[in-house]
């Protein structure tokens, strides 16, 4: 019997190597996901190796998951899980994805700070975008000792937040969040803005407080500097602001469309019908337009305003109380005709 040629063994070995390489490529380097677009997996503090696999399975292909699980099982992944938001890209394999998750190379996200009316509402909205839960955020934002570290208290902390969209990491802590908001607040309050506030004799919190009231008075940014000028005229003469939005805030009833006389007597430091000057702090997270409206207010002699009877969202302004009563009568008539209570 003729002895096989050594080349046969060589070819066989080469075939085995090629097959092994092909399998390795298939499981580790071909596309991990069966999706055509980038998906994201969120790994939090409670995750273990099995829950990470469970989160990846709806995204990963069969071979991709096999490759990822093999890498994880042989590299003690379970004891070194790092929290974060990780992109699963359609053009990368299990090896690349595993390496990024193992090293904590997460993807940033866009966090929008809204013009929230309460810190509870802000906490809930932030928790929807971040790993930290709403209870932890709410606890921090209602803790004077904690807030004092950043120069605020529970009445003034709304003034810290500047509505905008910021690039952050999903697993940022509450401390990281507050430090980032301080940084963005300081960047927003440029030397020019601070100079304008100083010239008006107002602190940055006071500017934000007045801006928050103006924001609640109208959504019309073009009218806000006029309203700011009117409220500043009242402050100069020690006249109560008599701002209806502060009554809604004091009552914690933001759905009110009509304020009655009995509601103007609510006992609260935010009742600007009873108390003169500004309330203790903002009644919402003030908008950039509202803040700039205060800083760039229109100089005029108006002391009164009343919503227009056409429900356009704008106001009739008046210099005297007699003129104001005539404007108010027209608006009340319009409310009655529409059955608004």
């Amino acid at each position: 019997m003729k002895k096989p040629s050594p080349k046969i063994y060589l070819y066989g070995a080469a075939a085995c190597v090629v097959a092994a390489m092909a399998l390795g490529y298939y499981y580790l380097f071909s596309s991990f996901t069966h999706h055509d677009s980038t998906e994201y997996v969120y790994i939090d503090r409670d995750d273990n190796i099995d829950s990470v696999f469970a989160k990846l399975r709806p995204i990963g292909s069969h071979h991709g998951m096999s490759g990822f699980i093999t890498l994880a099982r042989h590299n003690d992944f379970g004891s070194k899980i790092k929290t974060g938001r990780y992109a699963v890209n359609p053009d990368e394999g299990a090896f690349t994805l595993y390496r990024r998750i193992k090293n904590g190379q997460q993807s940033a996200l866009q966090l929008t700070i809204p013009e929230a009316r309460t810190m509870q509402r802000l906490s809930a909205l932030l928790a929807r975008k971040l790993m930290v839960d709403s209870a932890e955020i709410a606890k921090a934002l209602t803790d004077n000792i904690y807030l004092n570290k950043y120069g605020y208290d529970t009445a003034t902390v709304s003034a810290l937040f500047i509505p905008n969209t910021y690039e952050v990491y999903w697993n940022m802590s509450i401390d990281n969040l507050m430090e980032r908001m301080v940084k963005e607040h300081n960047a927003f309050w440029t030397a020019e803005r601070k100079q304008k506030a100083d010239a008006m004799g107002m602190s940055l919190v006071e500017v934000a407080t007045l801006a928050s009231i103006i924001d609640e008075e109208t959504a019309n940014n073009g009218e806000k500097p006029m309203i700011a000028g009117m409220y500043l005229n009242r402050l100069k003469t020690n006249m109560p602001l008599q701002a209806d939005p502060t009554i809604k805030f004091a009552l914690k009833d933001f759905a009110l469309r009509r304020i009655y006389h009995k509601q103007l007597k609510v006992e609260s430091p935010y009742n600007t019908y009873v108390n003169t000057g500004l309330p203790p702090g903002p009644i919402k997270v003030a908008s950039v337009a509202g803040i700039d409206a205060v800083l760039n207010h229109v100089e005029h002699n108006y002391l009164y305003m009343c919503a227009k009877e056409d429900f356009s969202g704008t106001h009739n302004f008046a210099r005297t109380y007699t003129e104001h009563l005539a404007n108010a009568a027209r608006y009340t008539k319009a409310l009655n005709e529409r059955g608004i209570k």
Side-chain angles (χ1 to χ4, degrees):
M1 185 175 183
K2 188 176 180 181
K3 190 176 182 180
S5 169
K7 290 185 178 180
I8 292 178
Y9 296 107
L10 182 61
Y11 291 151
C16 290
V17 170
V18 170
M21 291 177 63
L23 283 172
Y25 178 86
Y26 178 65
Y27 282 100
L28 299 179
F29 296 100
S30 64
S31 180
F32 170 85
T33 179
H34 49 71
H35 293 263
D36 294 328
S37 59
T38 298
E39 302 287 333
Y40 294 92
V41 62
Y42 296 81
I43 300 176
D44 60 39
R45 290 183 292 251
D46 297 328
D47 277 317
N48 56 38
I49 189 170
D50 292 320
S51 63
V52 171
F53 294 161
K55 288 181 175 181
L56 284 169
R57 280 195 179 92
I59 304 173
S61 61
H62 177 74
H63 68 269
M65 280 303 304
S66 295
F68 190 96
I69 291 171
T70 298
L71 290 169
R73 296 289 190 200
H74 288 81
N75 288 279
D76 197 24
F77 174 73
S79 65
K80 305 172 184 177
I81 295 174
K82 296 183 179 179
T83 62
R85 171 183 182 262
Y86 299 97
V88 182
N89 301 309
D91 59 348
E92 67 184 13
F95 179 81
T96 302
L97 176 63
Y98 172 77
R99 187 175 58 182
R100 284 197 293 102
I101 294 178
K102 178 178 177 293
N103 294 331
Q105 296 173 345
Q106 59 178 309
S107 299
L109 57 77
Q110 300 297 306
L111 176 67
T112 298
I113 299 296
E115 297 170 26
R117 282 172 168 153
T118 66
M119 290 300 95
Q120 289 75 17
R121 177 62 174 161
L122 179 62
S123 299
L125 293 171
L126 292 177
R128 291 178 189 174
K129 296 287 287 185
L130 301 173
M131 184 177 75
V132 61
D133 63 46
S134 60
E136 187 176 351
I137 301 174
K139 181 180 178 181
L141 297 182
T142 55
D143 183 342
N144 277 322
I145 295 177
Y146 179 81
L147 294 176
N148 284 340
K149 296 190 300 182
Y150 302 97
Y152 295 89
D153 57 32
T154 55
T156 61
V157 66
S158 296
L160 167 64
F161 298 95
I162 304 298
N164 206 335
T165 299
Y166 307 101
E167 188 172 86
V168 302
Y169 288 110
W170 175 72
N171 64 348
M172 71 189 313
S173 66
I174 184 63
D175 290 343
N176 292 151
L177 173 65
M178 292 296 288
E179 289 163 7
R180 178 63 182 276
M181 292 301 98
V182 169
K183 178 181 177 181
E184 297 297 343
H185 178 276
N186 293 340
F188 170 80
W189 280 100
T190 61
E192 181 182 4
R193 283 192 172 105
K194 287 181 179 178
Q195 287 169 2
K196 289 180 178 179
D198 288 341
M200 296 163 59
M202 298 181 75
S203 69
L204 306 190
V205 169
E206 288 173 332
V207 171
T209 299
L210 183 53
S212 71
I213 295 173
I214 294 167
D215 282 337
E216 289 291 273
E217 290 283 13
T218 182
N220 187 325
N221 289 338
E223 192 184 44
K224 288 179 181 180
M226 278 289 291
I227 298 175
M230 187 211 70
Y231 279 132
L232 288 168
N233 287 343
R234 289 189 172 191
L235 289 173
K236 290 174 186 176
T237 59
N238 205 34
M239 175 181 175
L241 293 182
Q242 297 181 331
D244 287 355
T246 64
I247 301 300
K248 295 180 183 180
F249 184 85
L251 294 169
K252 291 296 183 286
D253 189 348
F254 303 104
L256 285 174
R257 299 185 65 187
R258 190 168 184 172
I259 306 296
Y260 290 94
H261 184 71
K262 64 181 179 180
Q263 293 168 317
L264 302 181
K265 298 179 181 179
V266 59
E267 292 187 11
S268 169
Y270 290 89
N271 185 339
T272 56
Y273 278 82
V274 173
N275 306 298
T276 57
L278 291 166
I283 60 173
K284 66 183 289 289
V285 175
S287 70
V288 171
I291 293 172
D292 283 340
V294 175
L295 299 176
N296 302 290
H297 61 278
V298 175
E299 299 280 355
H300 55 63
N301 296 320
Y302 294 122
L303 284 172
Y304 303 92
M305 73 175 190
C306 180
K308 286 185 177 179
E309 61 277 12
D310 61 2
F311 298 96
S312 61
T314 56
H315 296 78
N316 288 314
F317 293 86
R319 292 179 176 83
T320 68
Y321 189 58
T322 300
E323 292 174 3
H324 173 64
L325 287 178
N327 292 335
R330 290 198 300 274
Y331 182 62
T332 299
K333 181 174 180 291
L335 287 173
N336 292 333
E337 288 174 349
R338 295 197 179 196
I340 298 175
K341 297 182 179 181

